[in-house]
Amino acid sequence: MKPDDFQLLSGLLKERSGLVLTSDKAYLLESRLLPLARKQELNGLDDLVRALRTTKEERPISVVTEAMTTKEPLFFRDSSPFDQMRKAMLPALVKARAQTKRLRIWSAACSTGQEPYSLAMVLKEEANTIAGYRVDMVGTDLSNEVLEKAKAGLYSQFEVQRGLPIAMLAKYFAKVGDMWQIKTDLRGMVQLRPHNRCRTSRCSASSKSSSAVTC
Ligand SMILES: C[S@@+](CC[C@H](N)C(=O)[O-])C[C@H]1O[C@@H](n2cnc3c(N)ncnc32)[C@H](O)[C@@H]1O
């Protein structure tokens, strides 16, 4: 990839998502954007970058940003943040919010929903701890495509095998054909909507950083 093209694409990614792409990761741009260029019947990355340089429309830019951001969500990713949520954060928040009896949880780059739904499962399991409290959960992401999947709450066998304890699968999912769908009450606990977290806060986001925020 030409240095100028790399600069344009990495600059766009930084500006739009807060993610920093170093030059040793230029291959990531090629592997993610080449399929997109082909889909749009463009002649490789050169043409795609040329189109980006000249466009006055928002859509081509957001399509490229979405293709460049990592989308590999897991249920109960790294497990320890969810253990901490259950053992330390929820009891502390319940104590701190004893007056208002209100908790708010924001999964700020929720992708296809695994993170907010994992948190919703934790809340279900900890129903006694939060009894009498109103809990609002929001999941946001800059990609509408992933949000549509999150709203449907439909996951393949492969997706539910990664990180989700089998007991949780049996309790909170229903089999729909060869897919698994989050049951309606759990889906109803999470509001999903588009939001770019770099548009409202100082951002040094990393695609691997945990995105859940509580207050
Ligand atoms: C690896 S996923 C993280 C999923 C989830 N938090 C987890 O740990 O399973 C990264 C997601 O972050 C989203 N994303 C990247 N930059 C963003 C930004 N500035 N604002 C909102 N979402 C962003 C991407 O669209 C992608 O869906």
Side-chain angles (χ1 to χ4, degrees):
M1 180 179 294
K2 292 182 207 141
D4 270 11
D5 292 355
F6 175 78
Q7 230 165 18
L8 179 114
L9 290 168
S10 58
L12 186 70
L13 184 63
K14 171 88 170 49
E15 184 202 319
R16 291 300 179 117
S17 75
L19 296 172
V20 176
L21 197 73
T22 46
S23 53
D24 57 320
K25 297 272 166 53
Y27 69 92
L28 275 178
L29 294 180
E30 300 195 2
S31 62
R32 288 178 190 189
L33 296 183
L34 263 179
L36 186 71
R38 285 195 196 110
K39 207 167 147 193
Q40 298 185 2
E41 297 178 1
L42 293 168
N43 204 8
L45 280 191
D46 287 355
D47 278 7
L48 185 75
V49 172
R50 201 167 302 124
L52 282 177
R53 285 192 201 282
T54 50
T55 189
K56 294 204 166 31
E57 290 170 31
E58 167 61 25
R59 178 144 174 84
I61 298 172
S62 58
V63 168
V64 166
T65 310
E66 285 189 19
M68 289 194 297
T69 48
T70 301
K71 298 186 181 70
E72 209 205 339
L74 296 175
F75 287 104
F76 295 98
R77 180 195 290 280
D78 302 333
S79 74
S80 79
F82 296 93
D83 289 343
Q84 284 300 313
M85 179 78 179
R86 196 166 51 81
K87 292 186 196 148
M89 288 170 71
L90 267 187
L93 283 167
V94 159
K95 207 168 156 195
R97 301 288 180 270
Q99 292 291 317
T100 58
K101 295 207 176 300
R102 188 167 177 204
L103 307 180
R104 293 183 296 161
I105 302 175
W106 176 24
S107 172
C110 69
S111 189
T112 43
Q114 283 89 335
E115 181 176 270
Y117 290 136
S118 299
L119 288 165
M121 285 183 246
V122 169
L123 294 178
K124 280 276 196 189
E125 296 292 308
E126 295 303 313
N128 285 340
T129 309
I130 57 172
Y133 281 65
R134 172 180 159 177
V135 184
D136 296 311
M137 277 193 61
V138 180
T140 59
D141 200 283
L142 57 71
S143 161
N144 282 308
E145 189 190 330
V146 295
L147 286 171
E148 285 312 308
K149 180 169 160 80
K151 282 179 193 165
L154 262 179
Y155 301 96
S156 67
Q157 184 69 39
F158 177 69
E159 287 170 310
V160 297
Q161 272 166 355
R162 302 167 80 208
L164 184 68
I166 188 86
M168 297 278 207
L169 177 65
K171 203 165 167 185
Y172 297 115
F173 289 69
K175 193 101 209 280
V176 179
D178 58 358
M179 304 285 278
W180 292 91
Q181 187 166 37
I182 306 263
K183 288 185 180 167
T184 318
D185 62 331
L186 204 80
R187 259 186 291 149
M189 289 170 68
V190 183
Q191 297 171 48
L192 293 157
R193 49 178 186 252
H195 175 77
N196 184 341
R197 65 183 177 179
C198 290
R199 292 284 152 96
T200 49
S201 57
R202 272 190 297 145
C203 183
S204 57
S206 139
S207 63
K208 286 193 178 131
S209 67
S210 175
S211 57
V213 180
T214 53
C215 59

